Amino acid sequence: MSELNFKYDVLKDDFTCAGEASGKIKRTLKDLGFDSNLIRNIAIAVYEGEINMVIHADGGVITCDIAPECITVVLDDKGPGIPDVELAMQAGYSTAPDNVRQLGFGAGMGLPNIKKYTDDMKIETQVGVGTKITLKFMVK
Amino acid sequence: MKVKELTEILEGSVVYGMDFLDREVYTACGSDMMSDVLAFVKEQAVMLTGLVNPQVVRTAEMMDMKCIVFVRGKKPDLGMIELAEEREIVLIQTELEMFTACGKLYQAGLRGGSGK
């Protein structure tokens, strides 16, 4: 299988459509015949990331590279950046506003949960500039 | 148990998915917090929730769930029903409260994940 490449735009404040990109990635991987557990892990991690982009950033871009041994997803936004990554990685720490909590999110599980479902997670962030999260999933 | 049986136990009604009532389900979770569902739930086929917004259906989709039960008489809107149709996720509605709904299903044999 040669390498495949997909790109999805995530829109700011569009809570209705949040999850659209993750769903597309999930269905693409299913069509390509990847293992269902691997697909679920990717779907959950990317969905959490997508929700973060809608909640905290002004939307952004998700790219997905599919290679035979490794699936790489990059979540790139031009949002406020994360001032303290270590703190943001703590389960339960959240800066989500009340309206987001009413929608069932903002429990402070997003980043820890993304890490849990990935083989490798890299966060590059700069306050006032944006955040780029690179996720790698090994195909076993 | 089959989704049909689950609906009867909860004295519920089928909002969407009449064609899928023969699906077998063995595990369930109950939460109004989708963050926690995504973080703590593993391989549950049914989600009981009192939360009503499109992200409930999206969360179920990402987690390969087969059925969503809306408790406390909560009604999914048209957008959610359309999303569930596209993803073939059954939507059930019951007037029962969360605790009672979960209790009845547990008593009937459904379990949380990992045998707990």
Side-chain angles (χ1 to χ4, degrees):
Chain A
M1 190 171 73
S2 61
E3 197 159 317
L4 289 168
N5 206 285
F6 300 93
K7 185 179 163 198
Y8 307 93
D9 289 317
V10 178
L11 301 176
K12 174 190 180 182
D13 291 334
D14 191 346
F15 206 74
T16 305
C17 288
E20 199 63 32
S22 318
K24 281 179 185 160
I25 290 172
K26 185 171 195 264
R27 287 190 291 281
T28 300
L29 294 172
K30 199 175 167 188
D31 289 345
L32 291 169
F34 283 99
D35 172 70
S36 60
N37 282 321
L38 173 70
I39 295 176
R40 192 187 310 125
N41 288 350
I42 295 172
I44 293 169
V46 179
Y47 179 53
E48 289 273 22
E50 191 176 352
I51 293 281
N52 275 347
M53 288 168 108
V54 173
I55 294 174
H56 298 290
D58 296 336
V61 177
I62 298 177
T63 51
C64 179
D65 290 297
I66 304 169
E69 309 82 28
C70 179
I71 294 165
T72 308
V73 180
V74 178
L75 305 142
D76 200 355
D77 71 56
K78 303 278 177 266
I82 305 169
D84 188 338
V85 174
E86 204 179 317
L87 191 59
M89 284 302 299
Q90 281 180 18
Y93 178 80
S94 174
T95 57
D98 280 349
N99 66 325
V100 168
R101 289 171 203 261
Q102 280 161 15
L103 293 165
F105 291 91
M109 296 308 295
L111 284 176
N113 205 25
I114 293 173
K115 189 177 170 63
K116 184 172 112 184
Y117 287 107
T118 51
D119 291 300
D120 186 60
M121 173 168 94
K122 188 172 77 174
I123 300 177
E124 296 160 271
T125 185
Q126 201 178 334
V127 174
V129 178
T131 301
K132 183 177 168 185
I133 301 181
T134 306
L135 310 175
K136 285 189 187 296
F137 304 87
M138 304 314 290
V139 181
K140 276 131 197 158
Chain B
M1 76 175 67
K2 290 192 191 319
V3 173
K4 184 173 186 290
E5 194 186 340
L6 170 148
T7 310
E8 287 165 3
I9 291 167
L10 298 178
E11 301 156 51
S13 55
V14 180
V15 179
Y16 167 72
M18 290 302 281
D19 294 342
F20 307 117
L21 298 185
D22 281 337
R23 281 183 183 169
E24 285 286 349
V25 292
Y26 304 98
T27 51
C29 66
S31 181
D32 289 351
M33 199 47 150
M34 294 304 109
S35 288
D36 282 349
V37 173
L38 290 162
F40 297 112
V41 168
K42 201 173 180 232
E43 303 210 8
Q44 268 84 330
V46 182
M47 169 164 55
L48 294 93
T49 187
L51 189 69
V52 180
N53 70 53
Q55 299 311 325
V56 175
V57 184
R58 303 260 191 209
T59 299
E61 176 196 1
M62 301 311 158
M63 307 204 74
D64 296 321
M65 288 173 171
K66 295 174 180 173
C67 174
I68 303 169
V69 177
F70 295 95
V71 297
R72 304 194 288 271
K74 297 293 174 77
K75 292 181 178 61
D77 63 22
L78 193 61
M80 293 172 67
I81 297 170
E82 285 172 359
L83 205 55
E85 278 180 29
E86 285 170 27
R87 313 295 189 251
E88 297 188 346
I89 297 169
V90 181
L91 304 182
I92 306 289
Q93 193 201 338
T94 176
E95 296 297 320
L96 297 179
E97 291 175 6
M98 176 73 93
F99 179 79
T100 311
C102 291
K104 281 182 178 247
L105 293 180
Y106 191 93
Q107 200 170 27
L110 276 199
R111 290 293 177 264
S114 326
K116 287 178 189 165

